[in-house]
């Protein structure tokens, strides 16, 4: 973590706090997709350079597929979802990573990685759409930018986020050090994950996929886990919570 230096002008702490608060207040933006305000000192565009560098590093690793039948599959599903999310005006890149854990990730500049074990787990394209739609939801929700802004507002800065990322060794080893250095692989909060779940289901429905398969996918994910981590001990919501909330949301919309 970067040590904070006392300003040369030795401004009173209260004055500094007021300045930070004023900056944060002026950076509040309403996200219509989420129905709430966000602190955005930086946005997805500001993270693009770091994201693109992290992606280039990630796909340079041995065994990563950027073409072929599996990549074509996730691109086909992904392109339908990005159109539904209103993000079709930008280019998206996809890759398949070799990893034992069913997983996926997204970078703010428009890249999605999916593990081969996840592709082996899903039973149909609707379940694959659940995962990709969820990742696209993180981008629409500005979750990475919101997290970076919160770090900046507390004077920690983007570079220091890499220290926390070091706890997630598997992700760093699989996808590259730059993504961790810039905080792009840090786990999202429970709130962020549930927001991405909801947005992902919206995009599934709009793209012609079956929202009910989101519930089926999370049941599969729950069944394959060797050990269940209690929700209070994890940054992610429990599988049971996700399944219950997804069922309620889909039923409330009258979708199947």
């Amino acid at each position: 973590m970067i040590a904070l230096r006392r300003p040369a002008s030795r401004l009173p702490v209260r004055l500094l706090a007021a300045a930070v608060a004023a900056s944060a207040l002026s950076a509040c933006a309403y996200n219509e997709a989420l129905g709430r305000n966000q602190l955005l000192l930086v946005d997805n565009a500001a993270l693009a350079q770091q994201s693109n560098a992290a992606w280039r590093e990630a796909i340079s690793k041995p065994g990563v597929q950027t073409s072929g039948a599996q990549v074509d599959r996730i691109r086909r599903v992904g392109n339908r979802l990005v159109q539904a999310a209103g993000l079709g005006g930008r280019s998206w890149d996809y890759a398949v990573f070799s990893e034992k854990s069913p997983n996926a990730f997204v970078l703010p500049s428009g890249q999605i990685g999916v593990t081969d074990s996840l592709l082996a787990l899903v039973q149909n394209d609707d379940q694959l759409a659940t995962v990709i739609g969820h990742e696209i939801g993180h981008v629409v929700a500005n979750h990475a930018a919101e997290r970076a802004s919160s770090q900046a507002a507390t004077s920690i800065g983007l570079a220091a986020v890499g220290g926390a990322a070091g706890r997630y060794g598997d992700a760093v080893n699989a996808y590259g050090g730059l993504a961790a250095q810039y905080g792009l692989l840090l786990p999202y909060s429970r709130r962020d994950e549930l927001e991405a779940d909801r947005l992902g289901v919206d995009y599934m429905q709009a793209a012609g996929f079956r929202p009910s398969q989101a519930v089926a996918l999370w049941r599969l994910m729950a069944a394959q886990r060797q050990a269940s981590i209690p929700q209070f001990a994890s940054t992610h919501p429990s599988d049971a919570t996700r399944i219950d909330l997804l069922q309620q949301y889909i039923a409330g919309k009258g979708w199947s």
Side-chain angles (χ1 to χ4, degrees):
M1 182 174 293
I2 297 176
L4 300 180
R5 294 183 178 178
R6 185 176 178 85
S9 59
R10 299 182 181 273
L11 290 175
V13 172
R14 285 181 297 177
L15 195 57
L16 288 173
V20 171
S23 297
L25 197 60
S26 64
C28 281
Y30 182 76
N31 189 314
E32 187 173 353
L34 299 179
R36 66 174 176 86
N37 287 321
Q38 293 181 293
L39 172 66
L40 294 177
L41 296 172
V42 299
D43 57 16
N44 287 335
L47 297 176
Q49 183 176 357
Q50 297 99 319
S51 295
N52 286 327
W55 180 253
R56 288 193 296 269
E57 182 192 35
I59 63 176
S60 70
K61 288 180 169 290
V64 178
Q65 302 174 49
T66 56
S67 62
Q70 288 186 315
V71 177
D72 289 344
R73 182 188 181 191
I74 63 173
R75 180 180 291 111
R76 182 176 65 253
V77 172
N79 285 347
R80 288 170 60 181
L81 291 163
V82 298
Q83 291 292 335
L87 298 179
R90 60 194 290 184
S91 61
W92 285 77
D93 295 318
Y94 304 92
V96 175
F97 293 79
S98 180
E99 190 183 340
K100 293 181 180 179
S101 299
N103 203 359
F105 71 95
V106 67
L107 297 178
S109 48
Q111 297 96 354
I112 292 177
V114 177
T115 65
D116 51 8
S117 54
L118 178 65
L119 291 174
L121 177 70
V122 297
Q123 298 173 332
N124 49 54
D125 281 355
D126 301 274
Q127 292 178 8
L128 178 58
T130 299
V131 178
I132 298 177
H134 172 96
E135 298 303 330
I136 293 170
H138 280 308
V139 176
V140 174
N142 294 315
H143 282 154
E146 185 176 29
R147 182 177 58 203
S149 298
S150 295
Q151 297 288 346
T154 54
S155 301
I156 296 175
L158 282 175
V161 182
R167 296 194 301 269
Y168 304 96
D170 291 343
V172 174
N173 291 334
Y175 309 132
L178 284 177
Q181 177 184 343
Y182 296 123
L184 300 173
L185 288 181
L186 288 177
Y188 292 108
S189 68
R190 296 174 191 169
R191 180 199 63 187
D192 292 350
E193 287 295 311
L194 294 174
E195 286 177 343
D197 282 351
R198 176 178 61 79
L199 290 175
V201 168
D202 289 344
Y203 305 146
M204 288 177 68
Q205 170 69 16
F209 294 104
R210 294 174 292 168
S212 61
Q213 286 299 298
V215 175
L217 182 277
W218 280 109
R219 284 176 173 159
L220 278 177
M221 292 288 281
Q224 66 84 39
R225 297 187 199 278
Q226 293 182 349
S228 178
I229 302 175
Q231 182 170 329
F232 67 83
S234 172
T235 58
H236 283 48
S238 68
D239 292 326
T241 296
R242 300 184 101 144
I243 291 168
D244 182 55
L245 291 177
L246 281 169
Q247 285 178 316
Q248 291 180 40
Y249 185 71
I250 293 168
K253 290 286 189 178
W255 296 338
S256 59

